[in-house]
Amino acid sequence: MSSELVAESKAGSPVQVGGFSIVPIPGLIIAAAYVAALVVALLSNTLWAVDFFHVVSGALWTGIDLFVGFVIGPILGKLPIPARVEFSKRFMPKMVVIMPALVVATLAAGFQLALQQGYLVASFPDHGWIVASFVVVGVLAVVAIGILEPANLAVLFELRKPQPNGELVAVLMKRFIYTAGVTGAMQIATLVIMTRLATA
Amino acid sequence: MSTAPQPSAFSPYTAKRPPVGIVCQVALGAIVLSAIVLAAQIPRLSELTVPIVLAGVAWVLFLAAAAMLVRVGPFAWGVFRMVAVRQLLVELVISGMLEFVFIYDHTPGSALAIFTALVVVFCLDIALLIAFSVARYQEPV
């Protein structure tokens, strides 16, 4: 594999690298507004508002994870490297802002909802499912924060260089492929647990 | 005289680095495991030894990673600081939200103390992990 991503595309036009923002400011403003609304919902402690943030954020988190892992990922893997670079430098900065906002809203609202509904007490008949959801979230957190986010940011910083190291980018991007199965399994487990709890 | 190009004195891509990333990832695992064991018992906390030991393991691993980083050799410290500070801000918002929920929902004092210790090491550990992961491939300035 070439060590440089500044390669000619099939059409012969060079790929432009660098010159993009790793953290998009407009996205940060939207994420901040979302988190502010979450705080208001938590302070109001109304069932609908807390449930709204938990369900909407959790559904988006699960949906995005599965869609990216099993639809976007395989398509991206078959594209030529210059096309992957162009896609990644537009797509990944948005994920840097979207995913943490969704994750914090899901977890914070979920904890309050579980406490409010009495799901956290050991005497709750389906307490085992609640503990299972903690384990699933724990695995997802380690994969997302400990493995994927460092790789994501390292790739973005590499792509900003005038001559990015293609081998390094390829090695780091493989983490997304290796963990897609784990993430997918955990997200499907989340769907099973949450629908089980919602109908208990 | 040889006209062959001189090998570069230092390349961030091939430089040997201490296993800071792996140690931080194991610390993150200990943090998450501790939080799971703790959260599974709320509100009645019958078993605190395991979460406390795991929190202690996480702190030791984080400090070990930080100590390894100090002796890293040529390193892009400017990039490291820039990423670490920004990442720390992000983690403070996330952890602050979770801590807010714990306090707001009257989480018992002993559990809250362990959660707080976990939240602090979580913020520091993630900032270190991500800043190291980015800076290790940058040219030292």
Side-chain angles (χ1 to χ4, degrees), chain A residues 112-140:
Chain A
Q112 184 150 335
L113 189 64
L115 199 68
Q116 198 184 58
Q117 298 298 302
Y119 291 175
L120 289 181
V121 292
S123 56
F124 176 63
D126 286 319
H127 188 252
W129 288 97
I130 293 287
V131 176
S133 76
F134 293 160
V135 174
V136 165
V137 165
V139 174
L140 282 172

PDB file of all heavy atoms in Angstrom, chain A residues 112-140:
ATOM      1  N   GLN A 112     -31.808   8.390  35.499  1.00  0.00           N
ATOM      2  CA  GLN A 112     -32.893   9.046  36.237  1.00  0.00           C
ATOM      3  C   GLN A 112     -34.226   8.320  36.030  1.00  0.00           C
ATOM      4  O   GLN A 112     -35.001   8.148  36.969  1.00  0.00           O
ATOM      5  CB  GLN A 112     -33.009  10.511  35.814  1.00  0.00           C
ATOM      6  CG  GLN A 112     -34.051  11.259  36.629  1.00  0.00           C
ATOM      7  CD  GLN A 112     -33.724  12.721  36.796  1.00  0.00           C
ATOM      8  OE1 GLN A 112     -32.568  13.115  36.729  1.00  0.00           O
ATOM      9  NE2 GLN A 112     -34.734  13.531  37.012  1.00  0.00           N
ATOM     10  N   LEU A 113     -34.459   7.889  34.809  1.00  0.00           N
ATOM     11  CA  LEU A 113     -35.693   7.162  34.492  1.00  0.00           C
ATOM     12  C   LEU A 113     -35.776   5.865  35.300  1.00  0.00           C
ATOM     13  O   LEU A 113     -36.824   5.538  35.874  1.00  0.00           O
ATOM     14  CB  LEU A 113     -35.721   6.850  32.992  1.00  0.00           C
ATOM     15  CG  LEU A 113     -37.015   6.291  32.410  1.00  0.00           C
ATOM     16  CD1 LEU A 113     -38.144   7.294  32.523  1.00  0.00           C
ATOM     17  CD2 LEU A 113     -36.800   5.905  30.949  1.00  0.00           C
ATOM     18  N   ALA A 114     -34.666   5.134  35.342  1.00  0.00           N
ATOM     19  CA  ALA A 114     -34.625   3.858  36.066  1.00  0.00           C
ATOM     20  C   ALA A 114     -34.871   4.074  37.556  1.00  0.00           C
ATOM     21  O   ALA A 114     -35.601   3.310  38.197  1.00  0.00           O
ATOM     22  CB  ALA A 114     -33.285   3.165  35.835  1.00  0.00           C
ATOM     23  N   LEU A 115     -34.289   5.143  38.089  1.00  0.00           N
ATOM     24  CA  LEU A 115     -34.473   5.433  39.511  1.00  0.00           C
ATOM     25  C   LEU A 115     -35.922   5.841  39.791  1.00  0.00           C
ATOM     26  O   LEU A 115     -36.551   5.383  40.748  1.00  0.00           O
ATOM     27  CB  LEU A 115     -33.514   6.558  39.924  1.00  0.00           C
ATOM     28  CG  LEU A 115     -33.240   6.685  41.408  1.00  0.00           C
ATOM     29  CD1 LEU A 115     -32.439   5.492  41.911  1.00  0.00           C
ATOM     30  CD2 LEU A 115     -32.447   7.961  41.688  1.00  0.00           C
ATOM     31  N   GLN A 116     -36.436   6.717  38.889  1.00  0.00           N
ATOM     32  CA  GLN A 116     -37.805   7.228  39.030  1.00  0.00           C
ATOM     33  C   GLN A 116     -38.826   6.088  38.980  1.00  0.00           C
ATOM     34  O   GLN A 116     -39.808   6.093  39.729  1.00  0.00           O
ATOM     35  CB  GLN A 116     -38.040   8.195  37.853  1.00  0.00           C
ATOM     36  CG  GLN A 116     -39.191   9.159  38.015  1.00  0.00           C
ATOM     37  CD  GLN A 116     -39.352   9.980  36.731  1.00  0.00           C
ATOM     38  OE1 GLN A 116     -39.546   9.426  35.658  1.00  0.00           O
ATOM     39  NE2 GLN A 116     -39.263  11.284  36.864  1.00  0.00           N
ATOM     40  N   GLN A 117     -38.570   5.097  38.131  1.00  0.00           N
ATOM     41  CA  GLN A 117     -39.518   4.002  37.940  1.00  0.00           C
ATOM     42  C   GLN A 117     -39.282   2.833  38.898  1.00  0.00           C
ATOM     43  O   GLN A 117     -39.983   1.826  38.829  1.00  0.00           O
ATOM     44  CB  GLN A 117     -39.428   3.494  36.496  1.00  0.00           C
ATOM     45  CG  GLN A 117     -39.782   4.541  35.452  1.00  0.00           C
ATOM     46  CD  GLN A 117     -41.213   5.022  35.574  1.00  0.00           C
ATOM     47  OE1 GLN A 117     -42.156   4.230  35.507  1.00  0.00           O
ATOM     48  NE2 GLN A 117     -41.401   6.311  35.801  1.00  0.00           N
ATOM     49  N   GLY A 118     -38.250   2.948  39.726  1.00  0.00           N
ATOM     50  CA  GLY A 118     -37.956   1.887  40.688  1.00  0.00           C
ATOM     51  C   GLY A 118     -37.265   0.682  40.088  1.00  0.00           C
ATOM     52  O   GLY A 118     -37.255  -0.407  40.669  1.00  0.00           O
ATOM     53  N   TYR A 119     -36.643   0.858  38.882  1.00  0.00           N
ATOM     54  CA  TYR A 119     -35.967  -0.263  38.215  1.00  0.00           C
ATOM     55  C   TYR A 119     -34.636  -0.612  38.877  1.00  0.00           C
ATOM     56  O   TYR A 119     -34.117  -1.710  38.681  1.00  0.00           O
ATOM     57  CB  TYR A 119     -35.683   0.062  36.747  1.00  0.00           C
ATOM     58  CG  TYR A 119     -36.895   0.159  35.852  1.00  0.00           C
ATOM     59  CD1 TYR A 119     -36.753   0.544  34.523  1.00  0.00           C
ATOM     60  CD2 TYR A 119     -38.171  -0.144  36.309  1.00  0.00           C
ATOM     61  CE1 TYR A 119     -37.856   0.640  33.678  1.00  0.00           C
ATOM     62  CE2 TYR A 119     -39.270  -0.045  35.482  1.00  0.00           C
ATOM     63  CZ  TYR A 119     -39.106   0.348  34.167  1.00  0.00           C
ATOM     64  OH  TYR A 119     -40.183   0.438  33.331  1.00  0.00           O
ATOM     65  N   LEU A 120     -34.045   0.356  39.616  1.00  0.00           N
ATOM     66  CA  LEU A 120     -32.700   0.127  40.135  1.00  0.00           C
ATOM     67  C   LEU A 120     -32.686  -0.744  41.393  1.00  0.00           C
ATOM     68  O   LEU A 120     -31.656  -1.344  41.709  1.00  0.00           O
ATOM     69  CB  LEU A 120     -32.000   1.460  40.430  1.00  0.00           C
ATOM     70  CG  LEU A 120     -31.584   2.287  39.204  1.00  0.00           C
ATOM     71  CD1 LEU A 120     -30.877   3.556  39.648  1.00  0.00           C
ATOM     72  CD2 LEU A 120     -30.676   1.506  38.267  1.00  0.00           C
ATOM     73  N   VAL A 121     -33.784  -0.783  42.102  1.00  0.00           N
ATOM     74  CA  VAL A 121     -33.776  -1.562  43.349  1.00  0.00           C
ATOM     75  C   VAL A 121     -33.686  -3.055  43.046  1.00  0.00           C
ATOM     76  O   VAL A 121     -34.248  -3.541  42.065  1.00  0.00           O
ATOM     77  CB  VAL A 121     -35.042  -1.280  44.216  1.00  0.00           C
ATOM     78  CG1 VAL A 121     -35.016   0.138  44.744  1.00  0.00           C
ATOM     79  CG2 VAL A 121     -36.303  -1.560  43.452  1.00  0.00           C
ATOM     80  N   ALA A 122     -32.960  -3.759  43.927  1.00  0.00           N
ATOM     81  CA  ALA A 122     -32.709  -5.184  43.680  1.00  0.00           C
ATOM     82  C   ALA A 122     -33.995  -6.005  43.676  1.00  0.00           C
ATOM     83  O   ALA A 122     -34.052  -7.070  43.053  1.00  0.00           O
ATOM     84  CB  ALA A 122     -31.736  -5.713  44.726  1.00  0.00           C
ATOM     85  N   SER A 123     -35.037  -5.488  44.355  1.00  0.00           N
ATOM     86  CA  SER A 123     -36.298  -6.244  44.421  1.00  0.00           C
ATOM     87  C   SER A 123     -37.116  -6.131  43.133  1.00  0.00           C
ATOM     88  O   SER A 123     -38.108  -6.841  42.960  1.00  0.00           O
ATOM     89  CB  SER A 123     -37.127  -5.738  45.602  1.00  0.00           C
ATOM     90  OG  SER A 123     -37.339  -4.346  45.471  1.00  0.00           O
ATOM     91  N   PHE A 124     -36.713  -5.243  42.229  1.00  0.00           N
ATOM     92  CA  PHE A 124     -37.423  -5.114  40.938  1.00  0.00           C
ATOM     93  C   PHE A 124     -37.328  -6.461  40.203  1.00  0.00           C
ATOM     94  O   PHE A 124     -36.241  -7.016  40.064  1.00  0.00           O
ATOM     95  CB  PHE A 124     -36.796  -3.986  40.119  1.00  0.00           C
ATOM     96  CG  PHE A 124     -37.383  -3.821  38.751  1.00  0.00           C
ATOM     97  CD1 PHE A 124     -38.715  -3.483  38.584  1.00  0.00           C
ATOM     98  CD2 PHE A 124     -36.602  -3.992  37.615  1.00  0.00           C
ATOM     99  CE1 PHE A 124     -39.257  -3.328  37.318  1.00  0.00           C
ATOM    100  CE2 PHE A 124     -37.137  -3.842  36.346  1.00  0.00           C
ATOM    101  CZ  PHE A 124     -38.469  -3.504  36.200  1.00  0.00           C
ATOM    102  N   PRO A 125     -38.464  -7.013  39.758  1.00  0.00           N
ATOM    103  CA  PRO A 125     -38.453  -8.371  39.190  1.00  0.00           C
ATOM    104  C   PRO A 125     -37.456  -8.550  38.032  1.00  0.00           C
ATOM    105  O   PRO A 125     -36.882  -9.614  37.881  1.00  0.00           O
ATOM    106  CB  PRO A 125     -39.896  -8.562  38.706  1.00  0.00           C
ATOM    107  CG  PRO A 125     -40.702  -7.567  39.453  1.00  0.00           C
ATOM    108  CD  PRO A 125     -39.816  -6.433  39.799  1.00  0.00           C
ATOM    109  N   ASP A 126     -37.279  -7.487  37.221  1.00  0.00           N
ATOM    110  CA  ASP A 126     -36.365  -7.589  36.076  1.00  0.00           C
ATOM    111  C   ASP A 126     -35.034  -6.891  36.344  1.00  0.00           C
ATOM    112  O   ASP A 126     -34.404  -6.378  35.410  1.00  0.00           O
ATOM    113  CB  ASP A 126     -37.031  -6.998  34.827  1.00  0.00           C
ATOM    114  CG  ASP A 126     -38.104  -7.932  34.281  1.00  0.00           C
ATOM    115  OD1 ASP A 126     -37.865  -9.147  34.267  1.00  0.00           O
ATOM    116  OD2 ASP A 126     -39.173  -7.435  33.879  1.00  0.00           O
ATOM    117  N   HIS A 127     -34.609  -6.889  37.613  1.00  0.00           N
ATOM    118  CA  HIS A 127     -33.359  -6.194  37.955  1.00  0.00           C
ATOM    119  C   HIS A 127     -32.163  -6.779  37.187  1.00  0.00           C
ATOM    120  O   HIS A 127     -31.223  -6.058  36.842  1.00  0.00           O
ATOM    121  CB  HIS A 127     -33.103  -6.278  39.463  1.00  0.00           C
ATOM    122  CG  HIS A 127     -31.953  -5.437  39.911  1.00  0.00           C
ATOM    123  ND1 HIS A 127     -30.748  -5.961  40.308  1.00  0.00           N
ATOM    124  CD2 HIS A 127     -31.803  -4.090  39.978  1.00  0.00           C
ATOM    125  CE1 HIS A 127     -29.921  -4.980  40.624  1.00  0.00           C
ATOM    126  NE2 HIS A 127     -30.536  -3.833  40.439  1.00  0.00           N
ATOM    127  N   GLY A 128     -32.220  -8.070  36.909  1.00  0.00           N
ATOM    128  CA  GLY A 128     -31.146  -8.714  36.140  1.00  0.00           C
ATOM    129  C   GLY A 128     -30.964  -8.086  34.762  1.00  0.00           C
ATOM    130  O   GLY A 128     -29.837  -7.937  34.275  1.00  0.00           O
ATOM    131  N   TRP A 129     -32.099  -7.699  34.138  1.00  0.00           N
ATOM    132  CA  TRP A 129     -32.021  -7.047  32.828  1.00  0.00           C
ATOM    133  C   TRP A 129     -31.368  -5.669  32.937  1.00  0.00           C
ATOM    134  O   TRP A 129     -30.664  -5.231  32.024  1.00  0.00           O
ATOM    135  CB  TRP A 129     -33.416  -6.916  32.215  1.00  0.00           C
ATOM    136  CG  TRP A 129     -33.996  -8.222  31.753  1.00  0.00           C
ATOM    137  CD1 TRP A 129     -34.859  -9.016  32.446  1.00  0.00           C
ATOM    138  CD2 TRP A 129     -33.720  -8.905  30.525  1.00  0.00           C
ATOM    139  NE1 TRP A 129     -35.150 -10.150  31.724  1.00  0.00           N
ATOM    140  CE2 TRP A 129     -34.469 -10.102  30.535  1.00  0.00           C
ATOM    141  CE3 TRP A 129     -32.922  -8.619  29.418  1.00  0.00           C
ATOM    142  CZ2 TRP A 129     -34.437 -11.010  29.485  1.00  0.00           C
ATOM    143  CZ3 TRP A 129     -32.887  -9.529  28.364  1.00  0.00           C
ATOM    144  CH2 TRP A 129     -33.644 -10.707  28.399  1.00  0.00           C
ATOM    145  N   ILE A 130     -31.642  -4.995  34.070  1.00  0.00           N
ATOM    146  CA  ILE A 130     -31.032  -3.657  34.292  1.00  0.00           C
ATOM    147  C   ILE A 130     -29.513  -3.816  34.405  1.00  0.00           C
ATOM    148  O   ILE A 130     -28.746  -3.061  33.775  1.00  0.00           O
ATOM    149  CB  ILE A 130     -31.605  -3.019  35.577  1.00  0.00           C
ATOM    150  CG1 ILE A 130     -33.089  -2.703  35.406  1.00  0.00           C
ATOM    151  CG2 ILE A 130     -30.817  -1.783  35.967  1.00  0.00           C
ATOM    152  CD1 ILE A 130     -33.394  -1.534  34.513  1.00  0.00           C
ATOM    153  N   VAL A 131     -29.091  -4.809  35.178  1.00  0.00           N
ATOM    154  CA  VAL A 131     -27.650  -5.043  35.336  1.00  0.00           C
ATOM    155  C   VAL A 131     -27.035  -5.430  33.982  1.00  0.00           C
ATOM    156  O   VAL A 131     -25.934  -4.974  33.632  1.00  0.00           O
ATOM    157  CB  VAL A 131     -27.369  -6.120  36.407  1.00  0.00           C
ATOM    158  CG1 VAL A 131     -25.882  -6.433  36.497  1.00  0.00           C
ATOM    159  CG2 VAL A 131     -27.895  -5.664  37.774  1.00  0.00           C
ATOM    160  N   ALA A 132     -27.774  -6.232  33.214  1.00  0.00           N
ATOM    161  CA  ALA A 132     -27.289  -6.598  31.870  1.00  0.00           C
ATOM    162  C   ALA A 132     -27.109  -5.347  31.011  1.00  0.00           C
ATOM    163  O   ALA A 132     -26.134  -5.245  30.243  1.00  0.00           O
ATOM    164  CB  ALA A 132     -28.268  -7.561  31.208  1.00  0.00           C
ATOM    165  N   SER A 133     -28.027  -4.388  31.165  1.00  0.00           N
ATOM    166  CA  SER A 133     -27.898  -3.146  30.374  1.00  0.00           C
ATOM    167  C   SER A 133     -26.661  -2.352  30.808  1.00  0.00           C
ATOM    168  O   SER A 133     -25.999  -1.726  29.979  1.00  0.00           O
ATOM    169  CB  SER A 133     -29.159  -2.287  30.492  1.00  0.00           C
ATOM    170  OG  SER A 133     -29.210  -1.620  31.736  1.00  0.00           O
ATOM    171  N   PHE A 134     -26.325  -2.408  32.109  1.00  0.00           N
ATOM    172  CA  PHE A 134     -25.096  -1.743  32.579  1.00  0.00           C
ATOM    173  C   PHE A 134     -23.867  -2.365  31.901  1.00  0.00           C
ATOM    174  O   PHE A 134     -22.946  -1.662  31.489  1.00  0.00           O
ATOM    175  CB  PHE A 134     -24.935  -1.882  34.100  1.00  0.00           C
ATOM    176  CG  PHE A 134     -25.953  -1.157  34.925  1.00  0.00           C
ATOM    177  CD1 PHE A 134     -26.172  -1.526  36.253  1.00  0.00           C
ATOM    178  CD2 PHE A 134     -26.689  -0.111  34.402  1.00  0.00           C
ATOM    179  CE1 PHE A 134     -27.106  -0.858  37.027  1.00  0.00           C
ATOM    180  CE2 PHE A 134     -27.631   0.561  35.177  1.00  0.00           C
ATOM    181  CZ  PHE A 134     -27.838   0.176  36.489  1.00  0.00           C
ATOM    182  N   VAL A 135     -23.884  -3.703  31.828  1.00  0.00           N
ATOM    183  CA  VAL A 135     -22.738  -4.412  31.226  1.00  0.00           C
ATOM    184  C   VAL A 135     -22.607  -4.039  29.744  1.00  0.00           C
ATOM    185  O   VAL A 135     -21.506  -3.746  29.249  1.00  0.00           O
ATOM    186  CB  VAL A 135     -22.897  -5.946  31.393  1.00  0.00           C
ATOM    187  CG1 VAL A 135     -21.791  -6.688  30.654  1.00  0.00           C
ATOM    188  CG2 VAL A 135     -22.884  -6.322  32.879  1.00  0.00           C
ATOM    189  N   VAL A 136     -23.760  -4.011  29.058  1.00  0.00           N
ATOM    190  CA  VAL A 136     -23.747  -3.667  27.626  1.00  0.00           C
ATOM    191  C   VAL A 136     -23.197  -2.252  27.428  1.00  0.00           C
ATOM    192  O   VAL A 136     -22.323  -2.009  26.579  1.00  0.00           O
ATOM    193  CB  VAL A 136     -25.179  -3.789  27.038  1.00  0.00           C
ATOM    194  CG1 VAL A 136     -25.276  -3.098  25.689  1.00  0.00           C
ATOM    195  CG2 VAL A 136     -25.577  -5.251  26.915  1.00  0.00           C
ATOM    196  N   VAL A 137     -23.699  -1.317  28.240  1.00  0.00           N
ATOM    197  CA  VAL A 137     -23.225   0.074  28.135  1.00  0.00           C
ATOM    198  C   VAL A 137     -21.733   0.151  28.472  1.00  0.00           C
ATOM    199  O   VAL A 137     -20.981   0.892  27.829  1.00  0.00           O
ATOM    200  CB  VAL A 137     -24.050   0.998  29.060  1.00  0.00           C
ATOM    201  CG1 VAL A 137     -23.362   2.338  29.248  1.00  0.00           C
ATOM    202  CG2 VAL A 137     -25.432   1.221  28.478  1.00  0.00           C
ATOM    203  N   GLY A 138     -21.313  -0.640  29.446  1.00  0.00           N
ATOM    204  CA  GLY A 138     -19.896  -0.655  29.821  1.00  0.00           C
ATOM    205  C   GLY A 138     -19.008  -1.107  28.675  1.00  0.00           C
ATOM    206  O   GLY A 138     -17.990  -0.474  28.376  1.00  0.00           O
ATOM    207  N   VAL A 139     -19.417  -2.205  28.010  1.00  0.00           N
ATOM    208  CA  VAL A 139     -18.635  -2.706  26.868  1.00  0.00           C
ATOM    209  C   VAL A 139     -18.618  -1.657  25.749  1.00  0.00           C
ATOM    210  O   VAL A 139     -17.565  -1.362  25.161  1.00  0.00           O
ATOM    211  CB  VAL A 139     -19.212  -4.046  26.356  1.00  0.00           C
ATOM    212  CG1 VAL A 139     -18.508  -4.488  25.080  1.00  0.00           C
ATOM    213  CG2 VAL A 139     -19.080  -5.123  27.423  1.00  0.00           C
ATOM    214  N   LEU A 140     -19.795  -1.071  25.481  1.00  0.00           N
ATOM    215  CA  LEU A 140     -19.872  -0.047  24.431  1.00  0.00           C
ATOM    216  C   LEU A 140     -18.977   1.149  24.759  1.00  0.00           C
ATOM    217  O   LEU A 140     -18.321   1.707  23.875  1.00  0.00           O
ATOM    218  CB  LEU A 140     -21.320   0.430  24.263  1.00  0.00           C
ATOM    219  CG  LEU A 140     -22.253  -0.491  23.479  1.00  0.00           C
ATOM    220  CD1 LEU A 140     -23.686   0.008  23.571  1.00  0.00           C
ATOM    221  CD2 LEU A 140     -21.835  -0.579  22.018  1.00  0.00           C
TER     222      LEU A 140
END
